[in-house]
């Protein structure tokens, strides 16, 4: 029983991390169709932002909270700059977008090495996140519980913003039918920039969370990039509820399979399961209904 509970929380924890990493992609890739290979570097930017903030604010608890807001801003500005500088010229050219953003990612990695050096950086967790909580005989680290809570808050905030705010309605209108939205007075350019800002900011928030469970290096984002894309594809492009289900599903499957085998074998098995699922349902768990004539 204790083993099952332990693996359950391990899977939920991994799912929360995948969810945070994939939420931003659910906007930029799932809703806009842009293959942003620099998304992992936006996660990295959130990690290094947390490190810098902690050097300035020596109170680790305050530094973590400030890092969530500053990281979102830094990641958002990087994403907006990428959209305005390069992506805006490459909509409907997925291969060019993939290659260009891959190059941007390499540039950002090298920039991080030049600024912070190659050795990994560590962030100290606040005192109120040290230790763990015993649940059903299993000790669950407080940092993992915090990440799960952060993922839940991020999902609720994003879903609420898309459904109830004017910007959210503009984003959904542009996704469903860009031409009709423009003739209705919606600025597609502002909407595109805003979407990239929010999506990239969420990636940086994921980076802030990652500093609580490991060290920071220039390539940390690449460790989660492929899994984040898989989560979005499995859940269904542009479907937040699908992203949530896919993230926790992958996390739980990986956790229980890894317990019976090894980490490497578990990755292979999970990937095979994903391939089989996508063969049977290539559109993912859910699909977006549009009125586009394209």
């Amino acid at each position: 029983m204790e083993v099952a509970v332990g693996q359950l929380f391990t899977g939920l924890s991994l799912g929360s991390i995948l969810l945070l990493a994939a939420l931003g992609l659910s906007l930029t890739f799932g809703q806009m169709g842009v293959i942003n290979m620099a998304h992992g570097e936006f996660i990295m930017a959130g990690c290094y932002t947390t490190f810098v903030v902690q050097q300035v604010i020596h109170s680790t608890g305050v530094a973590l909270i400030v890092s969530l807001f500053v990281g979102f801003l830094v990641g958002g500005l990087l994403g907006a700059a990428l959209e305005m500088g390069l992506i805006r010229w490459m909509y409907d050219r997925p291969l060019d977008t993939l290659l260009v953003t891959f190059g941007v990612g390499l540039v950002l990695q090298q920039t991080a090495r030049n600024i912070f050096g190659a050795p990994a950086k560590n962030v100290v967790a606040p005192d109120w996140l040290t230790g763990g909580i015993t649940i059903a005989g299993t000790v669950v680290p407080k940092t993992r519980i915090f990440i799960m809570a952060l993922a839940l808050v991020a999902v609720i905030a994003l879903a609420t913003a898309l459904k109830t705010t004017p910007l959210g309605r503009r984003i959904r209108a542009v996704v469903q039918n860009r031409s009709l939205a423009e003739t209705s007075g919606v600025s597609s350019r502002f909407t595109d920039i805003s979407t990239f800002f929010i999506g990239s900011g969420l990636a940086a928030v994921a980076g802030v969370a990652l500093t609580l469970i490991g060290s920071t290096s220039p390539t940390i984002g690449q460790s989660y990039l492929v899994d984040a894309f898989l989560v979005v594809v499995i859940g269904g492009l542009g479907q937040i509820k699908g992203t949530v289900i896919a993230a926790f599903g992958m996390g739980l499957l990986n956790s229980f399979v890894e317990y019976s085998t090894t980490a490497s074998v578990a990755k292979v098995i999970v990937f095979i399961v994903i391939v089989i699922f996508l063969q049977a349902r290539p559109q993912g768990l859910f699909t977006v209904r549009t009125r586009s004539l394209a």
Side-chain angles (χ1 to χ4, degrees):
M1 180 64 180
E2 291 184 7
V3 172
V5 173
Q7 294 306 114
L8 174 64
F9 276 100
T10 299
L12 291 176
S13 175
L14 176 58
S16 299
I17 295 172
L18 291 176
L19 179 57
L20 283 172
L23 265 184
L25 276 180
S26 71
L27 289 177
T28 56
F29 176 53
Q31 298 211 22
M32 298 182 66
V34 175
I35 305 175
N36 180 16
M37 298 300 293
H39 187 81
E41 280 58 55
F42 297 155
I43 296 176
M44 174 200 70
C47 295
Y48 279 115
T49 297
T50 308
F51 174 76
V52 172
V53 170
Q54 194 169 91
Q55 302 306 305
V56 177
I57 303 176
H58 298 293
S59 173
T60 55
V62 176
L64 177 61
I65 302 301
V66 172
S67 296
L68 290 172
F69 294 96
V70 177
F72 181 84
L73 180 61
V74 170
L77 290 175
L78 286 174
L82 176 62
E83 198 283 337
M84 290 186 290
L86 294 172
I87 299 299
R88 63 175 298 186
W89 312 107
M90 299 182 182
Y91 287 116
D92 299 322
R93 294 161 58 187
L95 180 59
D96 292 344
T97 303
L98 186 152
L99 294 175
V100 167
T101 54
F102 180 75
V104 170
L106 294 178
V107 171
L108 290 176
Q109 286 184 31
Q110 189 58 46
T111 301
R113 289 190 184 93
N114 292 340
I115 296 175
F116 299 101
K121 305 295 182 183
N122 293 306
V123 172
V124 180
D127 292 338
W128 46 275
L129 286 180
T130 57
I133 298 176
T134 302
I135 302 176
T138 301
V139 178
V140 181
K142 292 181 180 179
T143 52
R144 299 280 182 170
I145 295 176
F146 176 79
I147 292 174
M148 285 187 273
L150 179 61
L152 179 62
V153 170
V155 168
I156 293 174
L158 180 60
T160 302
L162 289 177
K163 288 185 177 181
T164 63
T165 65
L167 175 60
R169 288 191 289 269
R170 287 195 294 267
I171 291 174
R172 287 188 287 119
V174 171
V175 169
Q176 290 181 2
N177 194 314
R178 179 179 292 266
S179 299
L180 182 58
E182 290 175 344
T183 58
S184 302
V186 175
S187 172
S188 60
R189 282 298 307 133
F190 176 78
T191 303
D192 290 341
I193 296 171
S194 300
T195 303
F196 254 85
F197 181 90
I198 297 172
S200 303
L202 288 171
V205 170
V208 175
L210 286 176
T211 61
L212 297 174
I213 59 175
S215 57
T216 298
S217 68
T219 59
I220 186 172
Q222 296 299 313
S223 304
Y224 298 91
L225 182 61
V226 174
D227 287 342
F229 270 108
L230 288 175
V231 166
V232 175
V233 172
I234 294 170
L237 299 183
Q239 291 292 309
I240 295 179
K241 60 182 177 181
T243 301
V244 175
I245 296 173
F248 284 113
M250 281 184 59
L252 290 170
L253 179 62
N254 189 86
S255 173
F256 282 98
V257 173
E258 184 175 332
Y259 178 76
S260 304
T261 56
T262 63
S264 300
V265 174
K267 280 285 187 183
V268 174
I269 294 176
V270 170
F271 185 74
I272 291 174
V273 171
I274 291 172
V275 170
I276 294 173
F277 172 81
L278 291 177
Q279 288 293 319
R281 194 173 176 83
Q283 74 273 26
L285 292 173
F286 303 97
T287 57
V288 178
R289 289 173 297 178
T290 73
R291 295 186 178 91
S292 176
L293 298 177

